[in-house]
Amino acid sequence: VETPKETAKREEWNTKMTEQAKEEGKLYTPRTAPEKSGKLSYCWGMTLPQIERVLADPGKYHPDYDPEKGYDIAGMVWFQGYSDQGNPAYGELLVELIKFMREKYDAPDMPFVAGTLGMPSYKHMALEGDVNGGMIQAAQHIQMRGTVDVVNTAPYFPLELDMADNIRRTADKESKAYADAMKVLRTAASNKGFHYHGSAKCFLLMGDAMGRRLANLMAGGKPKIFD
């Protein structure tokens, strides 16, 4: 529920606010550690039931499935983190997630590949920060080493769509530049500026890179992020 880093951060905040309240002649009620609710969070509630449905009837989802041969868990790809910026415990929590999934689905050596946040604003810290740096931390963890890889997705971001969007916002709407920019955006982008502009090219390239890394780990290869 609370990692050591989160505990330290909470206690630091409590100390600071207690001292501030004392100076102002006020009382401060310290933040307490969160308690388990016993209920799945939204994302867990979406993820785990779907996995259970697929594993309960693999043939429904994969026509070539042979029940006599059964199945193995090939691996897991993880592409998330935007909502967790500023969480210093991201790496610790990611390690716990991997351990949980491996134990729950009886796949102790399950290969795991994480894709970094690759938006342009992260290029200067492509492998740093709470999220991307946390993924590197997880890959270096003594219990994860050799079975966890990280893909730097920044090189796949469609910068041309950023340029077109800048023109859309600044150019005269009657100009050819504006018309050309809108043509590009209507053809290649969706979801405005969010989620990599919704660019199919970007997602295909990122997905291909993560798939290749997973295949490498499945074949016994070493993580490439440290090369």
Side-chain angles (χ1 to χ4, degrees):
V1 174
E2 187 177 69
T3 70
K5 284 187 179 180
E6 289 173 321
T7 299
K9 190 175 182 180
R10 177 174 56 80
E11 291 176 347
E12 180 183 357
W13 174 261
N14 284 339
T15 299
K16 175 183 177 182
M17 297 308 293
T18 298
E19 292 175 353
Q20 181 177 320
K22 186 177 180 180
E23 291 175 359
E24 297 174 355
K26 300 177 181 179
L27 290 176
Y28 171 71
T29 303
R31 291 179 180 176
T32 58
E35 297 180 0
K36 289 185 178 181
S37 66
K39 299 178 181 179
L40 291 174
S41 66
Y42 172 77
C43 290
W44 280 115
M46 294 289 286
T47 303
L48 298 182
Q50 175 64 14
I51 295 173
E52 301 293 346
R53 279 193 291 270
V54 173
L55 296 184
D57 187 10
K60 180 179 179 180
Y61 301 89
H62 196 297
D64 293 332
Y65 173 67
D66 183 348
E68 292 187 5
K69 292 183 178 179
Y71 65 84
D72 289 323
I73 301 295
M76 180 173 175
V77 169
W78 179 255
F79 190 38
Q80 181 273 349
Y82 191 84
S83 299
D84 282 307
Q85 297 172 69
N87 181 359
Y90 190 91
E92 293 176 296
L93 292 169
L94 186 58
V95 168
E96 292 303 314
L97 180 144
I98 298 169
K99 288 162 63 176
F100 171 82
M101 298 297 273
R102 286 175 171 176
E103 181 178 350
K104 184 170 181 63
Y105 298 109
D106 193 26
D109 299 316
M110 178 187 74
F112 183 94
V113 173
T116 65
L117 291 172
M119 301 292 279
S121 57
Y122 299 102
K123 280 196 170 186
H124 67 286
M125 56 175 193
L127 301 178
E128 300 176 359
D130 293 324
V131 174
N132 293 353
M135 292 178 181
I136 299 296
Q137 178 187 344
Q140 292 174 320
H141 192 279
I142 191 169
Q143 293 177 289
M144 305 286 124
R145 202 170 296 160
T147 62
V148 173
D149 204 353
V150 180
V151 173
N152 175 16
T153 65
Y156 306 116
F157 185 85
L159 286 173
E160 70 277 9
L161 298 185
D162 255 11
M163 295 169 65
D165 194 46
N166 286 335
I167 293 172
R168 175 191 66 80
R169 288 187 283 106
T170 58
D172 184 337
K173 292 188 177 181
E174 302 301 322
S175 68
K176 182 178 185 301
Y178 180 86
D180 289 344
M182 290 303 299
K183 182 178 181 181
V184 169
L185 291 171
R186 290 193 186 104
T187 304
S190 67
N191 206 16
K192 299 181 180 178
F194 300 104
H195 302 124
Y196 307 84
H197 291 289
S199 166
K201 180 191 78 169
C202 178
F203 281 108
L204 284 168
L205 291 172
M206 293 189 295
D208 179 73
M210 287 184 268
R212 290 175 186 275
R213 292 289 187 87
L214 184 60
N216 174 62
L217 291 181
M218 289 167 59
K222 295 181 180 180
K224 302 285 189 180
I225 190 63
F226 303 117
D227 288 352

